């Protein structure tokens, strides 16, 4: 007979104990007369834990609640994979841990499975997590998860064990005594000195769930609220009530001998109220007071009953709690079918990526007018439906806009307040409020209905939203999508902090935003560039090295690696944002075993004829995409003028003559006959011989040229994020017609005006072109034409899109391409949000010969600074270089609004006002196709 080890025996006994049917309390109630799922699963502690925590006696209640929800909403049953430990970390490195029963957080968990499959982890026992000293700071703690229920796409879930354990990159804790009705506080100790991001630490919850404090924030944010008299019992911090607020707060340090004070204040408060007020509400404030506990309603004339209720409630308060005496808010008692009813409105507001507040859901619950109304005693329905019930359909748009603006301002006030707090006051270094729920009641004042804010709830506010989404599956994930995006964004910032990245050639001064982004994400940059030490920007280390002759990139790569070794600099990645250094960066990454674009891909992309020739040969069938050769046209490399006759004859006229390694459309010429082509070729060969003749356009790789077919159609940029050959994200922008006689860009807009299927075509084409030439990891910019027969490649830039692209994408889609580039360089898969564009941007290039004096003027600087919808992007911060001798763009001015039409209208007005539009520079023509 096989001998059973003592550890296995303990584990078996624990599982048997957990399988017993245990009564559940309010927090974990599982109703239903059946159990259609397998309960013989391993929910015990990891093997190294000798004894299960006391509160694990509830763990099967939690598991049953999860399975009950999955079963009745047609999601698959959880699969137990504990016999097959997950031994490889996720490619993204993200581990978002929600410590909770699923009761409070199903919407978050399911949306997490959609946005970051396998990285959203439900932890139902303290024993599934270990705490170790942080490698960032030994005085702080890191969390590692050994076991969890992981959420995947399609609502699939798995009980997983992790060996090695996964480092927690974001922590959300529902295992507090306040949230669980006192059942468990197992998560509270885990928050102490935590190094990773988290939402709503215990210390912050005490503020966001404090009705006295948040009512002051409502006053500051311009949110309507009921007239309020409040008493704070042993409150820990001051309340700075605005002078014009209808809020009076008295501090009380004892419960004895204050009855007369309460009576006098209540009577004074009642006497100050308008004659139209007929009812009063008495309610408690504090983290344990939720679900309408302790709330009572009173006739305004019953001053004794109001005072008695307040005095009685005071005796139940804990230090830090408060009580409010406030005016009742509810629909007026008009003679209609709903006169005996009222409704509570819950606005769910998330802190989206970039710390932007976003109102996601407005839901209502209808109940009896003279009884407390909350999420526990109502069925959720939409605000639109509720307004129809009350005969207020015509008021819906105005009220929605009022609530949305006010709610987002209120969360912004919370954010601003938290930014002033110390580490001790926040509770941990990564503590902040990422989601709140705001309760409103609608009340008529004069001729209008006004939403009155009643209270704010912290991170346990999403349960009513998830109920609404389960009832209305088409709304699934809407309430918490920005929250999950923020969890991911904060996780990725956490993972990349402290990384050491070698950056090759910063480029023009306007690209200093790259260093700013690195500083914000706590990335240590080792910069290799050519300028003198005294001109070096502030970076962790600067290495001066002349790599301008890129025909020797193999030697340069070895030399730079030896410099790093001599200085004992260990790097986590290498990246460049300057196109000429693409092959050099790829070679360094290859030699050091780091993640990069790929040497063959970088070289193929840098040489334009090689790019097209490689793609032109890709004629094989692809089961899921069109054949790659369809995206390119024949092109021919030329070294000397004698090569031109055969090349032109093969390509046909008109043709395009361009530098093999050029950038910024320098040296690109449309030629109509062989004579013109030959003359231009000889001119360029004489004028552009080496890098010093025109710095930055690629002459360090040589000055050979190529001839290619002239492509018809509209021009577009496609900015791509590719990780291990997989497409992670893509963004399409449109370019206006180029200036007559040149190929210089004039105007652009984002998002694209193309039809959705055309956007799909051009993204797929750009992705295929990158991967088929060998680009496997990185952020790339692909210039394409949308011809009558489909997408056609102009060229691939094997680096992040330059100039304004990064700023526009960040503004429009919330994706930081700089961070994506750094993440990939460090071997971390970016997980960008997949939401629709938040705005429309339209801009126009400006050239020195026509516009230099405009943008050097003080009046432009003042206009730009005072216009938040204007995006001004100079190529160089110092415009002294901008003279009439060059026609390269000097800057881009753009307008960002809610619609394409409005952006165009405002842009044209600005261009007229500042004389950007001239007879020679026809801005209306350049933006004419952006419709």
């Amino acid at each position: 007979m096989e001998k059973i080890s003592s550890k296995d025996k303990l584990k078996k006994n624990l599982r048997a104990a957990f399988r017993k049917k245990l009564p559940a309390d309010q927090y974990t109630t599982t109703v239903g007369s059946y159990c259609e799922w397998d309960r013989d699963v391993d929910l015990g502690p990891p093997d190294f834990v000798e004894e299960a925590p006391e509160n694990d006696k509830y763990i099967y209640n939690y598991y049953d609640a999860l399975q009950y929800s999955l079963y009745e909403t047609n999601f698959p049953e959880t699969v137990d994979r504990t016999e097959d430990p997950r031994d490889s970390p996720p490619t993204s490195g993200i581990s978002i841990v929600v410590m909770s029963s699923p009761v409070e957080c199903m919407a978050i968990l399911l949306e997490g499975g959609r946005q970051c499959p396998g990285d959203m982890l439900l932890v139902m026992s303290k024993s599934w997590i270990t705490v170790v000293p942080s490698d960032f700071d030994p005085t702080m703690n890191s969390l590692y998860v050994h076991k969890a229920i992981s959420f995947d796409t399609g609502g699939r879930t798995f009980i997983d064990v992790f060996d090695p354990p996964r480092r927690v990159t974001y922590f959300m804790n529902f295992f507090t005594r306040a949230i669980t009705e006192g059942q468990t506080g197992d998560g509270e100790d885990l928050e102490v000195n935590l190094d990773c991001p988290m939402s709503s630490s215990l210390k912050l919850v005490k503020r966001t769930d404090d009705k006295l404090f948040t009512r002051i924030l409502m006053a500051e944010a311009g949110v309507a609220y009921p007239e309020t008299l409040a008493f704070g019992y042993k409150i820990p911090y001051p309340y700075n009530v605005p002078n014009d607020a209808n809020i009076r707060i008295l501090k009380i340090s004892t419960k004895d001998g204050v009855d007369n004070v309460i009576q006098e204040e209540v009577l004074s408060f009642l006497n100050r109220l308008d004659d139209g007020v007929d009812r009063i509400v008495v309610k408690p404030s504090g983290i344990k007071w939720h679900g309408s506990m302790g709330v009572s309603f009173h006739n305004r004339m019953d001053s004794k009953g109001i005072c008695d209720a307040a005095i009685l409630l005071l005796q139940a308060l804990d230090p830090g709690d408060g009580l409010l005496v406030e005016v009742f808010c509810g629909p007026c008692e008009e003679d209609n079918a709903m006169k005996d009813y009222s409704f509570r409105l819950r606005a769910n507001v998330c802190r989206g990526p970039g710390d932007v507040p976003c109102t996601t859901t407005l839901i209502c619950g209808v109940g009896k007018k003279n009884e407390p109304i909350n999420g526990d005693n109502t069925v959720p329905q939409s605000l639109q439906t509720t307004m129809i019930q009350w005969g207020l359909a015509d008021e819906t748009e105005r009220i929605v806009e009022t609530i949305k603006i006010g709610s987002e301002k209120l969360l912004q006030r919370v954010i601003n307040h938290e930014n002033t707090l110390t580490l001790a006051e926040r509770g941990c270094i990564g503590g902040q409020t990422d989601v709140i729920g705001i309760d409103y009641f609608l009340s008529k004042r004069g001729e209008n209905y006004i939403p009155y804010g009643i209270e704010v709830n912290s991170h346990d506010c999403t349960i009513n939203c998830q109920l609404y989404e389960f009832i209305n599956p088409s709304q699934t994930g809407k309430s918490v999508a920005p929250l999950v995006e923020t969890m991911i964004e904060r996780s990725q910032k956490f993972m990349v902090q402290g990384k050491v990245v070698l950056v090759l050639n910063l480029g023009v001064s306007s690209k200093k935003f790259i260093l700013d982004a690195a500083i914000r994400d706590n990335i240590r940059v080792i910069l290799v560039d050519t300028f003198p030490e005294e001109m070096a920007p502030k970076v962790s280390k600067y290495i001066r090295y002349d790599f301008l002759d890129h025909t020797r990139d193999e030697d340069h790569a070895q030399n730079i690696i030896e410099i790093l070794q001599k200085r004992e600099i260990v790097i986590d990645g290498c990246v460049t944002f300057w196109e000429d250094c693409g092959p050099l960066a790829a070679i360094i990454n290859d030699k050091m075993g780091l993640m990069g674009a790929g040497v063959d891909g970088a070289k193929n992309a840098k040489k334009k004829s090689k790019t097209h020739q490689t793609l032109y040969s890709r004629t094989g069938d692809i089961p899921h995409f069109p054949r790659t050769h369809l995206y390119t046209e024949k092109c021919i490399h030329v070294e000397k003028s004698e090569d031109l006759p055969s090349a032109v004859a093969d390509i046909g006229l008109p043709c395009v003559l361009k530098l093999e390694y050029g950038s910024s459309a320098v040296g690109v010429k449309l030629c109509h006959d062989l004579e013109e082509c030959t003359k231009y070729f000889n001119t360029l060969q004489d004028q552009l011989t080496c890098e010093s003749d025109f710095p930055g356009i690629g002459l360090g790789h040589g000055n050979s040229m190529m001839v290619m077919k002239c492509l018809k159609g509209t021009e577009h940029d496609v900015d791509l994020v590719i990780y291990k050959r997989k497409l992670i994200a893509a963004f399409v922008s449109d370019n206006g017609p180029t200036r007559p006689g040149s190929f210089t860009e004039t105007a652009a807009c984002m998002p694209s005006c193309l039809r959705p299927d055309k956007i799909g075509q051009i993204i797929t084409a750009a992705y295929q072109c990158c991967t088929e030439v060998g680009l496997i990891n990185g952020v790339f910019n692909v210039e394409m034409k949308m011809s009558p027969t489909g997408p056609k490649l102009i060229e691939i830039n094997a680096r992040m899109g330059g100039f304004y692209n990064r700023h526009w994408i960040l503004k429009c889609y919330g994706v930081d391409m700089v961070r994506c580039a750094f993440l990939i360089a460090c071997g971390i898969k970016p997980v960008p949000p997949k939401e629709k564009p938040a705005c429309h941007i339209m801009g126009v290039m400006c050239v020195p010969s026509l516009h230099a004096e405009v943008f050097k003027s003080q009046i432009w600087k003042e206009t730009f600074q005072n216009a938040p919808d204007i995006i001004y992007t100079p190529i160089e911060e110092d415009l002294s270089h901008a003279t009439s001798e060059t026609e390269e763009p000097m800057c881009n001015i753009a307008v960002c609004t809610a619609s394409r039409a409005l952006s165009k209208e405002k842009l044209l007005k600005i261009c007229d006002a500042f004389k950007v539009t001239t007879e020679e520079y026809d801005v209306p023509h350049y933006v004419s196709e952006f419709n």
Side-chain angles (χ1 to χ4, degrees), residues 11 85 230 285 344 382 421 625 724:
K11 186 175 180 180
S285 169
R344 182 205 68 163
S382 70
L421 300 181
F625 290 143
K724 292 185 177 179

Side-chain angles (χ1 to χ4, degrees), residues 27-29 58 61-63 65-66 98-106 109 122-124 174-175 180 183:
Y27 178 61
T28 59
T29 297
Y58 299 110
N61 297 141
Y62 304 157
Y63 187 75
L66 172 61
V98 180
M99 193 169 192
S100 179
S101 156
V103 170
E104 295 286 350
C105 53
M106 279 299 292
L109 296 170
L122 173 64
V123 169
M124 303 193 302
F174 290 86
F175 274 179
T180 63
Q183 182 188 99

Side-chain angles (χ1 to χ4, degrees), residues 170-185:
Y170 186 99
F171 186 56
M172 181 172 261
N173 177 30
F174 290 86
F175 274 179
T176 67
R177 284 179 287 269
I179 292 177
T180 63
E181 308 276 359
Q183 182 188 99
T184 176

